[in-house]
Amino acid sequence: MALTLDLTVQCAQMLLVLLLAPLFTGFARKVKARLLRRQGPSPIQPYRDLARLMRKDVVLAENASWLFRVIPYLIFAATWVAASLVPTFRTGLLFSWSADLIAIIALLGSGRFFLALAGLDVGTSFGGIGSSREVMIASLAEPAMIMIVFTLALIAGSTQLSTMAEFMASPEVGLRVSLGLALIALIMVAIAENARIPVDNPATHLELTMVHEAMVLEYSGRHLALIELSASLKLILYVSVIACLFAPWGLAPAGAGVEALAIGVTTYILKLAVGGFLLTLFETSIAKMRVFRVPEFLGVALMLGLLATLLRFVSGSF
Amino acid sequence: MTLTIILVCAAVLLALGPLAVALRHSRAVTQLVYGASMVASAVSFAAAIAHLLGAAAPESITLPVGVPWLGAHLRNDALSAFFLLVVDLGAMSASLFALGYGQHETASGRVLPFYPAFLAGMMLVVLADDAYTFLLSWEFMSLMSWALVMSHHRVPENVRAGYVYLVMASFGTLTLLLAFGLLAGSDGLYTFAQMRAAHPSAALGALVLILALIGAGSKAGLVPLHVWLPLAHPAAPSHVSALMSGVMTKVAVYGFVRIVFDLAGEPAWWWSMLVLAFAGVTTVMGVLYALMQHDLKRLLAYHTVENIGIIFIGLALAFKTHGMVFASALALTAALLHVFNHSLFKSLLFFGAGAVLTATGKRDMEHLGGLIHRMPQTAFAFLIGCVAISALPPLNGFVSEWLTFQAILLSPQLPVWGLKLLIPAVGALLALSAALAAACFVKVYGVTFLGRPRTSAAERAKETDSFSLAAMFFLAALCLVAGILPGLFIDALAPVSSALIGAHMPAQTSTQWLSIVPIAASRSSYDGLLVFLFMVISGTLAASAIHRFASNRLRRAPAWDCGYPDASPTTQYTAMSFAQPIRRVFGTVVFRAREHGDMPPPGSTRPARLTVELHDLIWETLYAPLAVGIGFAADRLNHLQFLTIRQFLSLVFGALVILLLVLAVWP
């Protein structure tokens, strides 16, 4: 009985992130438009876009390989598996012990590896520009993320996200300098990894300002739909990680009843709304950086993460 | 029993060398030598596995060869059995690959006699139980690999590679000789058993650590002693490069582990710091060098340097100081698992490079491209190797990296302040090198196999033969198995860490769903099998749902390229242009990388030129001045040849007087 409930909750989690991801992207676009005094598209427009793309033919370049066709499914699989393991409304998911936070980051890393390969597959210069910039950004964002994971793991005593979230919700956590540094670094890394302003512009149509959009330039139809869905899933994954670690109030503990789960879902949706609003506010108030300012931006995140880890190594009270 | 089987296999391999010379005019000699090497290493592999998994007691044997009053002591304990396993697996797959690759070898008379001897030398190093046998086998292994590096001796860069290799190998053996001399003491006890019984003092142990780090580290490829590696490994034939990178560097790691963990006595508190500092620098420098390369094999050789750094990070954390035995066992298991994993995927990648070299005649990535269409099976196996070496789940590279991170996370409990400051920095360097390695292999795979062919050689490439493909797919399958079922491999390493440290990781057989739990389930766990199954299920679910309910139509058209397609394949990204952002971020400091654009004046029709200037700072600051200094000293000492007869006689007289004085004063 408890097993079926756990299994239902895990499946519900998987479907929830999948269904909410386009809505979150649409909500962020709507808020950005309103902040810029435009009407903006409806928040459910991404659903319509995905449905439209799914119905269309795929137009493949003549020299695209089998890898180019398989990569959207690989990226979607890796991102969806990673997103299913993040506690959004309840900790202690049925399979949360199979991959800890390091494994989740590495799964997102596999998605990025294959996306960069897809950029190089057709042999155009735009794909090359996207892939080379993406791996430069990743080479700094990933170590920063690992240092953040180290800091949080040293505070919480585990690398499992569920255990970390439960620890952060408990009264033992206290206000720590290293947690503050880790939060700032995590926000910077999340912005870089999800190709948001100031690192990359998700709405650009200028090729030389693209990183993510340049890699997927040759994709069309259902492949493009899957890649856009994976990008939305990645964004909602990062917002959920920040929410469950730094705003864990309302998370239902493992084995909770239906009312706790309902409260968990409602607080999660509220957290997403607040997170989307804050993200869009930040994006609207800052300009996109030149490409070679991004390493300095991420270097700051890496140094903050390193400093936070160092503080944890040096003393247990930081 | 298993030791005798292994020694018989080694003897067979040693006999194959002269046999290859005797039969050199026969047409079947290549198949015979490689086939027999494969069988001999397979039998030895089976014996080593039986010893390791059976957790058998160490076996010794003393052969009446070598030094008359000493003989050759050989011993097979858990550590030797594990490294023998690694050596034999590499030898088996290289011989299988060479059954196909060796058909294209032009200088087979220079390769065939030395190849089985090289394998035998590596096996004997791992089995040696006294200093003489160890050093003799070590030098034999170096000499045989030098002969293989020099097999294409008409190429001038191979000659330089062989020379640098010989100098560095001799220097390494000298330091190991000094290390063994210090351990043996003044009584002349050269067997390892006697060295274990004699407990060296702290100062002696420190000296032995430094000498072993230099000697074994130079053979393994620790920075700054790595300079021979990217010269020698590409120069050898591809199956030998795979053995040198994937297996011989591991034999050097074995040498380090044996000397420092087994023979040098109790580790001091600062040993970890020294090894950690060098290992951290090695990891990052190796991958940064690799990112600047566009020669396939040189790039892979630099990656070996990076992975040796990762292995030494694990080894540095494995020193059993302050009684934290479980943390040491975890770190040692992570390091040894990475030894095994690296030998798998590095050999796979070198085999792929060899296949590409045979098919196109080119090693330079800037002349390749689009090979995924011409060589689909090689491309698939090479992709598995790239994903594995980039430490991506669900393959095996991720498992050893994850275990090393877990070992780092246990380290704050160490009371040493230097370690508390150094370990987070090394953790950051490790994470940085993992991200840069993934970047490098996107470059390698994308420029070599994807895109459009840049030269006619790449356009006309043909798939390699079935032996090479069989070897590559065998290693790719092992990479997948080691990633999905890592608990089996961790349990197999338990006897090794028990023997060296006295503790081992908790048994992984009783965990749920075959996950691995390095410390405690509440702390961290990873289930490769489940992650792999989830990915496969969600991918196929998505594919079938979309194909069923949405569209599954597809049509081909010219590439979009934003409406400006360029028919010339030279406009696509090359290896140097792909690495340009990273070169600008990291290379300006580490390599003093500068780009010079030379624009023609208006009216001139000559092309514009872009020159990228890179400095190998380690060579320029350490080796070049050393070479100049040695040349200067040699020039001065040369004058000794041109003295008069009176000066020679006075020199002899002076030496005699000094020696008599020494004899008189010596107590």
Side-chain angles (χ1 to χ4, degrees):
Chain A
M1 185 52 216
L3 184 65
T4 19
L5 184 64
D6 276 342
L7 197 59
T8 326
V9 167
Q10 174 76 69
C11 294
Q13 149 87 7
M14 289 169 70
L15 283 172
L16 186 73
V17 286
L18 192 61
L19 292 172
L20 279 182
L23 182 61
F24 184 75
T25 312
F27 173 72
R29 270 190 220 155
K30 179 76 172 176
V31 172
K32 186 188 267 191
R34 298 301 291 162
L35 282 171
L36 293 170
R37 300 191 63 190
R38 292 189 277 122
Q39 284 285 36
S42 144
I44 60 168
Q45 184 61 33
Y47 293 105
R48 296 188 191 127
D49 286 337
L50 286 173
R52 174 178 51 92
L53 280 172
M54 293 279 187
R55 279 194 303 265
K56 293 184 139 196
D57 293 359
V58 162
V59 180
L60 266 188
E62 278 150 351
N63 64 331
S65 59
W66 61 267
L67 191 60
F68 192 75
R69 296 168 63 175
V70 168
I71 279 176
Y73 300 100
L74 278 172
I75 297 176
F76 176 69
T79 320
W80 195 22
V81 170
S84 316
L85 296 168
V86 175
T88 51
F89 57 92
R90 196 194 101 153
T91 60
L93 296 163
L94 187 61
F95 291 115
S96 61
W97 48 266
S98 60
D100 61 351
L101 192 50
I102 301 180
I104 289 175
I105 294 167
L107 275 171
L108 293 175
S110 330
R112 186 178 39 231
F113 182 86
F114 284 112
L115 192 62
L117 281 182
L120 290 171
D121 186 67
V122 181
T124 61
S125 39
F126 287 123
I129 210 176
S131 298
S132 68
R133 287 177 176 180
E134 175 73 14
V135 298
M136 173 193 72
I137 293 174
S139 70
L140 286 164
E142 211 172 284
M145 191 67 201
I146 299 270
M147 297 318 288
I148 296 167
V149 173
F150 278 7
T151 314
L152 293 167
L154 289 171
I155 294 178
S158 161
T159 47
Q160 294 288 4
L161 254 185
S162 291
T163 320
M164 277 197 225
E166 279 168 12
F167 181 85
M168 301 297 269
S170 73
E172 302 157 23
V173 63
L175 277 176
R176 296 171 194 266
V177 174
S178 41
L179 271 182
L181 294 175
L183 175 62
I184 300 173
L186 183 55
I187 292 174
M188 292 167 91
V189 168
I191 289 173
E193 290 254 358
N194 288 296
R196 311 299 299 185
I197 291 182
V199 173
D200 182 16
N201 192 345
T204 185
H205 51 274
L206 295 173
E207 298 80 25
L208 287 177
T209 59
M210 293 171 175
V211 177
H212 183 265
E213 301 299 317
M215 287 190 286
V216 302
L217 203 58
E218 299 291 328
Y219 274 115
S220 53
R222 55 185 184 271
H223 296 163
L224 185 59
L226 273 177
I227 290 188
E228 294 207 343
L229 185 56
S230 309
S232 310
L233 266 175
K234 194 169 168 183
L235 180 60
I236 209 175
L237 187 156
Y238 268 95
V239 176
S240 309
V241 165
I242 297 179
C244 86
L245 286 175
F246 292 100
W249 316 293
L251 266 181
V258 184
E259 317 90 52
L261 289 176
I263 295 177
V265 173
T266 334
T267 41
Y268 175 61
I269 294 179
L270 271 169
K271 287 179 207 171
L272 282 183
V274 170
F277 179 73
L278 288 174
L279 170 69
T280 326
L281 197 61
F282 180 67
E283 281 198 308
T284 321
S285 54
I286 197 170
K288 179 179 171 318
M289 290 189 291
R290 271 184 58 212
V291 167
F292 285 108
R293 296 284 293 274
V294 175
E296 296 169 15
F297 178 74
L298 286 172
V300 170
L302 179 58
M303 286 301 130
L304 285 176
L306 181 59
L307 185 61
T309 311
L310 210 64
L311 286 175
R312 285 300 308 166
F313 261 77
V314 159
S315 158
S317 51
F318 283 122
Chain B
M1 232 290 276
T2 48
L3 185 56
T4 9
I5 298 177
I6 296 168
L7 285 175
V8 165
C9 296
V12 165
L13 286 169
L14 281 171
L16 275 175
L19 190 67
V21 177
L23 293 176
R24 65 184 175 276
H25 296 298
S26 149
R27 264 185 311 174
V29 65
T30 316
Q31 305 296 81
L32 176 68
V33 169
Y34 288 127
S37 308
M38 188 171 90
V39 170
S41 24
V43 172
S44 173
F45 174 72
I49 273 199
H51 184 104
L52 185 65
L53 292 181
E59 303 170 359
S60 309
I61 195 170
T62 310
L63 294 176
V65 294
V67 182
W69 60 88
L70 194 57
H73 295 253
L74 297 158
R75 185 163 176 263
N76 187 14
D77 63 358
L79 182 67
S80 302
F82 171 70
F83 276 92
L84 202 58
L85 202 151
V86 170
V87 169
D88 287 324
L89 192 59
M92 255 165 63
S93 39
S95 307
L96 179 59
F97 179 78
L99 279 171
Y101 181 81
Q103 307 290 334
H104 309 280
E105 181 61 67
T106 45
S108 56
R110 290 173 162 267
V111 173
L112 285 176
F114 301 112
Y115 176 81
F118 179 43
L119 299 180
M122 288 196 286
M123 284 168 64
L124 287 173
V125 171
V126 169
L127 289 173
D129 196 37
D130 70 82
Y132 278 117
T133 319
F134 185 92
L135 285 172
L136 192 67
S137 320
W138 184 275
E139 272 296 88
F140 184 67
M141 173 181 83
S142 306
L143 210 57
M144 292 299 108
S145 50
W146 173 82
L148 288 166
V149 164
M150 295 291 283
S151 53
H152 295 269
H153 63 121
R154 299 264 180 238
V155 181
E157 54 196 35
N158 289 4
V159 174
R160 176 162 178 262
Y163 177 65
V164 175
Y165 180 30
L166 207 59
V167 170
M168 296 299 295
S170 313
F171 172 67
T173 312
L174 173 67
T175 45
L176 284 180
L177 191 71
L178 287 172
F180 281 122
L182 284 174
L183 280 173
S186 51
D187 303 352
L189 315 165
Y190 284 109
T191 59
F192 286 0
Q194 288 163 321
M195 286 186 201
R196 262 178 227 124
H199 295 285
S201 65
L204 203 66
L207 213 51
V208 167
L209 170 77
I210 294 172
L211 287 170
L213 195 61
I214 295 176
S218 76
K219 188 66 136 211
L222 279 182
V223 162
L225 300 162
H226 67 288
V227 288
W228 63 274
L229 221 145
L231 294 171
H233 285 196
S238 305
H239 54 301
V240 176
S241 306
L243 279 176
M244 286 175 78
S245 254
V247 179
M248 195 172 74
T249 45
K250 310 302 175 299
V251 173
V253 170
Y254 165 80
F256 180 78
V257 173
R258 178 65 77 188
I259 296 176
V260 174
F261 279 83
D262 207 13
L263 303 174
E266 284 302 306
W269 60 272
W270 56 268
W271 285 19
S272 284
M273 286 173 61
L274 184 68
V275 180
L276 208 54
F278 277 105
V281 172
T282 305
T283 312
V284 175
M285 288 303 292
V287 72
L288 282 176
Y289 274 116
L291 271 162
M292 305 295 128
Q293 301 300 321
H294 50 92
D295 179 334
L296 257 179
K297 284 178 145 192
R298 245 177 103 103
L299 186 146
L300 291 174
Y302 274 119
H303 262 285
T304 303
V305 172
E306 177 219 345
N307 282 286
I308 291 290
I310 297 177
I311 294 171
F312 272 87
I313 289 178
L315 288 178
L317 293 171
F319 284 119
K320 184 182 49 181
T321 47
H322 316 287
M324 288 172 58
V325 279
F326 280 108
S328 310
L330 174 61
L332 184 69
T333 313
L336 294 180
L337 192 62
H338 201 74
V339 162
F340 178 71
N341 288 340
H342 181 245
S343 71
L344 288 180
F345 44 70
K346 190 40 70 75
S347 304
L348 170 59
L349 289 169
F350 264 106
F351 292 165
V356 166
L357 182 60
T358 324
T360 59
K362 304 224 178 263
R363 250 164 53 185
D364 191 346
M365 281 189 276
E366 316 278 40
H367 298 152
L368 299 171
L371 291 176
I372 195 171
H373 303 285
R374 308 288 310 172
M375 305 170 68
Q377 286 136 316
T378 309
F380 182 71
F382 200 86
L383 180 65
I384 305 268
C386 288
V387 175
I389 201 171
S390 309
L392 300 173
L395 294 181
N396 56 351
F398 175 67
V399 178
S400 36
E401 190 111 353
W402 186 80
L403 283 174
T404 318
F405 282 141
Q406 296 293 334
I408 290 178
L409 284 173
L410 277 182
S411 309
Q413 302 159 27
L414 290 167
V416 179
W417 271 89
L419 277 176
K420 277 194 206 274
L421 294 175
L422 193 54
I423 290 180
V426 170
L429 287 177
L430 183 61
L432 184 63
S433 80
L436 287 171
C440 192
F441 278 95
V442 169
K443 175 181 92 166
V444 170
Y445 197 76
V447 173
T448 313
F449 284 93
L450 301 177
R452 293 175 281 166
R454 293 179 181 80
T455 55
S456 50
E459 274 173 4
R460 286 179 277 126
K462 285 215 262 296
E463 187 60 269
T464 45
D465 57 273
S466 35
F467 286 115
S468 315
L469 287 174
M472 289 195 273
F473 279 111
F474 171 63
L475 288 176
L478 271 180
C479 284
L480 187 63
V481 168
I484 295 181
L485 303 172
L488 294 176
F489 297 85
I490 292 176
D491 280 342
L493 283 169
V496 183
S497 84
S498 302
L500 283 178
I501 293 183
H504 58 92
M505 277 175 65
Q508 308 291 326
T509 45
S510 51
T511 52
Q512 49 176 335
W513 281 91
L514 299 169
S515 62
I516 50 171
V517 177
I519 306 134
S522 59
R523 208 184 148 98
S524 53
S525 59
Y526 168 69
D527 196 334
L529 181 64
L530 270 186
V531 168
F532 176 68
L533 282 176
F534 284 158
M535 282 180 70
V536 166
I537 292 173
S538 42
T540 33
L541 206 68
S544 46
I546 289 174
H547 283 237
R548 169 81 176 73
F549 295 112
S551 141
N552 63 346
R553 287 188 307 271
L554 190 149
R555 66 173 200 269
R556 295 268 180 179
W560 162 234
D561 210 7
C562 254
Y564 298 104
D566 199 321
S568 162
T570 48
T571 53
Q572 58 181 337
Y573 260 54
T574 61
M576 293 301 275
S577 49
F578 189 88
Q580 189 264 345
I582 294 183
R583 191 167 62 233
R584 187 164 154 170
V585 173
F586 296 99
T588 32
V589 172
V590 177
F591 300 115
R592 272 200 265 134
R594 302 284 179 270
E595 287 177 2
H596 306 283
D598 177 24
M599 298 298 292
S604 158
T605 52
R606 71 171 171 84
R609 282 187 211 291
L610 178 70
T611 320
V612 175
E613 184 193 310
L614 290 168
H615 295 263
D616 185 349
L617 288 179
I618 294 178
W619 185 270
E620 287 173 17
T621 49
L622 193 61
Y623 288 88
L626 199 65
V628 164
I630 290 178
F632 179 76
D635 271 342
R636 289 272 159 268
L637 285 172
N638 201 26
H639 290 301
L640 278 176
Q641 282 198 40
F642 305 107
L643 302 174
T644 63
I645 186 78
R646 271 185 237 173
Q647 285 165 324
F648 277 128
L649 286 173
S650 0
L651 266 180
V652 173
F653 184 67
L656 189 61
V657 167
I658 291 175
L659 286 173
L660 285 171
L661 271 175
V662 165
L663 265 180
V665 172
W666 194 269

